[in-house]
Amino acid sequence: MKKRCLGTSDLYVSEIGLGCMSLGKEEPKARSILDEAIDLGINFLDTADLYDYGLNEEFVGKAIKHRRQNIILATKVGNRWEKEKEGWYWDPSKKYIKEAVKNSLKRLQTDYIDLYQLHGGTIDDPIEETIEAFEELKKEGVIRYYGISSIRPNVIKEYLNKSNIVSIMMQYSLLDRRPEEWFDLIEQHNVSVIARGPLAKGLLTERPLELANNQIKNDGYLSYTYAELKNVRQQLEKAFPNFTKTEIALKYVLSQSVVGAAIPGASNIDQLRENVQAAQAKAFTHDEIHKLKTITKANVYTNHRDA
């Protein structure tokens, strides 16, 4: 598995990471997926304290405990919850971040986190205070680097200008090309993009479109109607007959120089293997990338203030 460096860090992550959110709540199944991912050459695991209210971190922690030094471990903070209470609320305060990291370390059974990410954010947050928390955790050796997980342009610009983030996690796929509007700016700051959702909820895989859920059938996906999704998939098949849809989706995302890794989820081992195999496909040429862009929409964020 090829590796890429995240931003200005010394974190060399596999081009295909594993988004752990879809592992589920059954530990044996989750463990089998994690073990297979690592055996296939994936060294980048992304979880979050919010996923199944800490259970996801516990599964990841158990899976990597005996091989921690071989793993680039990423988790997230900012969504606060309390036991025996439903729901969560947003808390990017310094006090909470420094409290939450201790709980994540315990669940992950480690004494450091390679990449600690703010799990969201708004322009009204105490951004300087949040940055201070991450910087202090770096000095303490509790985290190696930090980043944000956000699609809000104004938030992204604040962190690019004021912090030492090495990465920005963004929903990005061939069907959601909104982040491309900001790639030049992000790259100018020597920050990497971590692409989540690169398979667009399975719409860019071999799974028949007819099996999509009713919401997609009725409302489409982002700015695409169901009929448009069907047309795009047909055009992709016609233009790239020697590629699977998964290969097309992942190789397109990885063709962007600012992208440090794509982190599709996997709810079973077959999906995981398809994702890893797709990464081995040959890179697209400049002309092929142009063709892909003509087939899909160059959708942009419609409201820069609130996006």
Side-chain angles (χ1 to χ4, degrees):
M1 177 81 69
K2 293 180 180 178
K3 293 183 173 64
R4 299 185 180 190
C5 184
L6 290 182
T8 55
S9 76
D10 60 357
L11 302 178
Y12 284 84
V13 300
S14 50
E15 288 186 329
I16 300 295
L18 178 62
C20 296
M21 183 173 67
S22 57
L23 290 177
K25 297 182 180 181
E26 298 177 13
E27 186 171 353
K29 182 179 179 182
R31 181 61 183 267
S32 68
I33 294 171
L34 287 163
D35 288 343
E36 181 72 8
I38 295 169
D39 288 345
L40 290 171
I42 290 175
N43 77 336
F44 184 39
L45 304 179
D46 177 79
T47 180
D49 58 1
L50 184 64
Y51 298 165
D52 294 320
Y53 296 99
L55 187 63
N56 197 272
E57 283 187 328
E58 290 181 16
F59 289 169
V60 172
K62 291 179 182 179
I64 69 172
K65 185 178 181 180
H66 63 290
R67 47 192 166 185
R68 176 69 183 90
Q69 70 279 6
N70 300 321
I71 302 299
I72 304 298
L73 176 62
T75 191
K76 309 182 194 74
V77 66
N79 295 301
R80 186 170 187 168
W81 78 92
E82 296 176 22
K83 289 184 178 180
E84 300 177 358
K85 288 188 178 181
E86 291 187 6
W88 52 269
Y89 60 95
W90 181 239
D91 187 352
S93 68
K94 177 179 175 180
K95 181 180 179 182
Y96 178 65
I97 290 171
K98 300 196 76 172
E99 172 189 328
V101 73
K102 295 176 184 177
N103 295 324
S104 283
L105 290 170
K106 184 177 180 180
R107 288 188 290 264
L108 292 164
Q109 299 188 53
T110 186
D111 56 3
Y112 71 97
I113 293 165
D114 296 292
L115 180 65
Y116 204 35
Q117 302 159 103
L118 186 68
H119 202 175
T122 74
I123 201 65
D124 297 320
D125 289 347
I127 291 175
E128 287 81 2
E129 178 185 325
T130 301
I131 293 170
E132 190 174 275
F134 285 122
E135 290 290 346
E136 288 183 8
L137 291 175
K138 274 183 67 178
K139 289 179 181 178
E140 294 165 10
V142 175
I143 67 174
R144 294 176 66 191
Y145 299 95
Y146 64 98
I148 62 172
S149 176
S150 178
I151 60 169
R152 297 174 182 266
N154 276 1
V155 172
I156 289 170
K157 285 189 285 187
E158 285 290 299
Y159 278 90
L160 287 175
N161 291 326
K162 296 180 178 180
S163 77
N164 293 308
I165 58 170
V166 299
S167 63
I168 302 171
M169 183 176 291
M170 310 172 78
Q171 179 174 299
Y172 177 51
S173 73
L174 195 51
L175 294 179
D176 186 0
R177 292 174 49 209
R178 293 175 296 176
E180 292 178 2
E181 181 183 358
W182 301 97
F183 280 1
D184 286 344
L185 177 64
I186 294 170
E187 200 158 27
Q188 286 168 17
H189 283 81
N190 297 312
V191 171
S192 292
V193 167
I194 298 171
R196 64 176 176 84
L199 299 176
K201 295 185 177 180
L203 296 172
L204 293 172
T205 68
E206 303 314 296
R207 185 171 183 262
L209 187 60
E210 292 73 22
L211 296 180
N213 61 43
N214 288 331
Q215 183 177 359
I216 287 175
K217 289 180 178 178
N218 294 330
D219 303 327
Y221 179 74
L222 297 176
S223 58
Y224 289 89
T225 65
Y226 183 73
E228 287 175 328
L229 289 172
K230 188 174 183 179
N231 182 52
V232 165
R233 283 168 57 100
Q234 290 172 344
Q235 288 188 63
L236 291 175
E237 291 173 0
K238 183 177 180 180
F240 298 91
N242 297 321
F243 289 84
T244 67
K245 294 185 187 70
T246 302
E247 288 173 340
I248 293 170
L250 293 179
K251 295 308 285 191
Y252 175 77
V253 167
L254 291 171
S255 73
Q256 310 298 320
S257 59
V258 72
V259 171
I263 53 165
S267 56
N268 59 63
I269 287 179
D270 287 341
Q271 289 178 357
L272 177 67
R273 290 173 177 165
E274 286 176 15
N275 296 342
V276 172
Q277 183 62 38
Q280 313 306 320
K282 69 181 183 71
F284 287 127
T285 65
H286 177 79
D287 289 343
E288 287 173 328
I289 292 172
H290 177 72
K291 184 180 291 186
L292 284 165
K293 289 182 176 180
T294 63
I295 291 173
T296 57
K297 296 181 181 181
N299 33 26
V300 299
Y301 296 108
T302 55
N303 189 329
H304 289 181
R305 184 173 62 84
D306 296 323

